[in-house]
Amino acid sequence: MTKVNSFRKSGGNIKTYQILTNLNCNLACKYCYENKCNKVNNIESIKTYLTALYERDYGIKYEDEELPCVMIDVIGGESFLYPELLDEMCEHLLYLTKMYEVGGDFVVNITTNGTLLTTKPVQDFIMKWRSHLAIGLSIDGTKKIHDTARVYPNGAGSYDKAVAGWGWLKHILPPCRTGVKATYCHDTINNYGDGVINLIKLGFTDIGANVIFEEIWTEEDTVIIYEQMKKVVDYIVDNKLEKTVHIFQLNNKELDIANYQPNTGPKDKNHCGSCTHMLCLGFDNKLYGCNRFCTMENPIPLGELINGKIKIHNTQLIDEIANQYNHWHEDCKKCGIGQQCPSCSVIPYEKYPDNPMQFFREKPQCGFTTAMVAARVYFSRRLLTCKDNIV
């Protein structure tokens, strides 16, 4: 999912919230982690949630140099099934922004499978709110890879529709407010390189290409993943795209890839900000640490909206998540690249509900992380070699 920080100067003061709009979808992706149903969120609940957030976080005046920015992550199901709900939500956000004089404005970040972007109601919504939108598509690289998993209920692939949607969207929003995420499993990891390169050729400049967290990625997977990532690095450097194309797993904008240092120390904090840096509105006025906590088979809420106020009562879960990194395997605690190891805070509760922390002792991302760090080192050395050749 693509995220933008702000459309104006915000001084780094950004508030991020999540809204689960619905849990139905026009696709039936084979590896989707969500427990799909036909529920759609209530617009009055959404308005109450947003009003409570603004009242809590923006009931004070800010100095001009501290312009805050509100970022709303909108997640489905497929949220674009309900453009009229999104429109009402944006109208209310505009009202609150003016009421509380939030000078940094608001950004609505929508994740979509892209297949509905060519429909008139969705296009009308995007055109109306384009100055407030960031949109991230889910496309798994090439047509062959994508259509093995991202399918319609009848089994037909969705690649052509998603790419057609991107073909329209890229002329409406600037590159800094669009992006794409590709997801790979053990069945498709051998095509990681071709998939990411195809996304670059399609015109994406902000790309995430990760593996599914539910699978265990061992040291035996490292060489395969590294060779695939190396292929992407070579394509980027050979075509002089390192300053314009950013792959989150390789040269994201927060990395100085030319001077990359692989040893960042052992794991001493969580990779995921669930329960700490995000709050998600689910159904029936329930609040969650993130969207995944409310889309699992047995949802685990943090609190709820009561009389228009945010009430948090599951502080035990907050504490558990905050200290989750302490339960990683002992090897992870000593690993020099442990801090770069990605993880999902919710999967342990899905896989081992009676003993969630057992999941981390399996070192689930070891193989992927090792390959990723090695590929970043390779990226850095290739850039250094190019620079030396120029000199």
Side-chain angles (χ1 to χ4, degrees):
M1 176 163 59
T2 300
K3 291 187 179 182
V4 294
N5 289 332
S6 176
F7 302 159
R8 306 179 187 176
K9 179 183 175 183
S10 65
N13 187 6
I14 301 167
K15 300 286 187 180
T16 301
Y17 316 111
Q18 290 185 334
I19 293 175
L20 180 67
T21 54
N22 58 297
L23 260 182
N24 54 349
C25 187
N26 60 327
L27 298 186
C29 299
K30 294 178 182 178
Y31 52 62
C32 183
Y33 60 80
E34 294 183 334
N35 183 37
K36 289 292 195 298
C37 63
N38 290 320
K39 285 188 175 181
V40 181
N41 220 327
N42 184 290
I43 186 59
E44 294 307 319
S45 292
I46 292 175
K47 289 180 179 179
T48 299
Y49 173 63
L50 293 172
T51 300
L53 290 172
Y54 271 75
E55 183 179 297
R56 185 190 70 179
D57 295 337
Y58 297 96
I60 61 174
K61 297 293 183 180
Y62 287 83
E63 299 297 330
D64 289 343
E65 64 271 19
E66 294 181 336
L67 294 178
C69 179
V70 177
M71 181 180 289
I72 306 296
D73 282 339
V74 173
I75 301 170
E78 174 52 53
S79 298
F80 278 133
L81 285 170
Y82 302 96
E84 67 285 349
L85 183 146
L86 297 175
D87 180 64
E88 285 193 65
M89 181 192 71
C90 288
E91 290 285 4
H92 193 63
L93 278 166
L94 183 61
Y95 163 76
L96 290 171
T97 299
K98 292 178 179 179
M99 177 179 172
Y100 284 92
E101 299 180 9
V102 182
D105 222 328
F106 67 89
V107 181
V108 176
N109 188 66
I110 303 175
T111 299
T112 176
N113 60 43
T115 61
L116 300 176
L117 290 174
T118 55
T119 63
K120 188 176 186 304
V122 172
Q123 290 185 350
D124 288 346
F125 164 77
I126 292 173
M127 293 301 294
K128 178 178 178 180
W129 296 102
R130 59 194 293 186
S131 63
H132 294 279
L133 297 180
I135 297 178
L137 286 79
S138 297
I139 300 177
D140 288 346
T142 64
K143 178 179 174 65
K144 180 179 179 180
I145 303 168
H146 184 97
D147 285 349
T148 61
R150 295 189 179 275
V151 297
Y152 287 94
N154 65 1
S158 62
Y159 178 85
D160 291 338
K161 277 285 189 180
V163 171
W166 165 240
W168 177 81
L169 183 67
K170 66 183 178 182
H171 298 296
I172 306 302
L173 296 183
C176 64
R177 289 196 271 125
T178 60
V180 66
K181 188 182 82 168
T183 304
Y184 295 87
C185 61
H186 279 89
D187 291 338
T188 59
I189 194 64
N190 286 315
N191 296 302
Y192 183 102
D194 290 340
V196 176
I197 290 170
N198 187 58
L199 292 174
I200 297 172
K201 291 179 178 179
L202 286 174
F204 289 103
T205 58
D206 185 358
I207 300 170
N210 63 288
V211 291
I212 60 176
F213 289 116
E214 292 86 348
E215 294 184 2
I216 304 299
W217 298 88
T218 67
E219 294 178 359
E220 286 71 28
D221 297 311
T222 300
V223 174
I224 296 172
I225 300 171
Y226 170 69
E227 290 299 327
Q228 291 297 312
M229 288 185 166
K230 186 169 172 280
K231 187 174 184 178
V232 176
V233 172
D234 286 337
Y235 181 85
I236 291 174
V237 177
D238 290 345
N239 289 279
K240 298 180 173 58
L241 298 173
E242 62 271 11
K243 292 183 179 180
T244 56
V245 173
H246 297 278
I247 315 299
F248 184 82
Q249 286 70 23
L250 295 173
N251 65 328
N252 64 70
K253 295 177 182 179
E254 295 181 2
L255 283 179
D256 179 7
I257 194 64
N259 299 290
Y260 177 71
Q261 297 297 320
N263 194 329
T264 55
K267 201 167 189 70
D268 60 2
K269 61 182 178 181
N270 293 337
H271 173 80
C272 173
S274 180
C275 296
T276 301
H277 301 295
M278 57 187 82
L279 185 67
C280 181
L281 174 68
F283 303 119
D284 304 318
N285 288 328
K286 295 290 192 304
L287 302 173
Y288 298 83
C290 67
N291 67 293
R292 187 150 184 169
F293 268 118
C294 59
T295 60
M296 55 195 291
E297 185 175 355
N298 297 301
I300 307 176
L302 277 186
E304 57 189 319
L305 288 172
I306 300 177
N307 297 324
K309 302 292 183 181
I310 293 171
K311 302 293 182 182
I312 304 298
H313 51 69
N314 194 350
T315 56
Q316 178 182 341
L317 180 62
I318 296 175
D319 291 340
E320 282 182 12
I321 298 299
N323 292 286
Q324 206 171 60
Y325 67 92
N326 289 315
H327 296 275
W328 280 69
H329 193 284
E330 288 302 315
D331 291 346
C332 305
K333 297 177 183 178
K334 301 173 184 176
C335 179
I337 61 173
Q339 200 51 59
Q340 300 178 69
C341 190
S343 60
C344 171
S345 295
V346 188
I347 291 175
Y349 292 86
E350 295 176 328
K351 191 168 184 179
Y352 299 110
D354 295 328
N355 184 18
M357 299 308 111
Q358 179 180 339
F359 178 74
F360 293 115
R361 293 164 197 152
E362 298 176 355
K363 301 196 291 186
Q365 291 290 311
C366 188
F368 181 78
T369 302
T370 303
M372 179 181 71
V373 171
R376 288 174 176 176
V377 171
Y378 176 73
F379 204 141
S380 179
R381 290 178 178 173
R382 276 231 53 191
L383 292 177
L384 181 62
T385 301
C386 291
K387 181 178 179 182
D388 289 342
N389 288 339
I390 293 173
V391 174

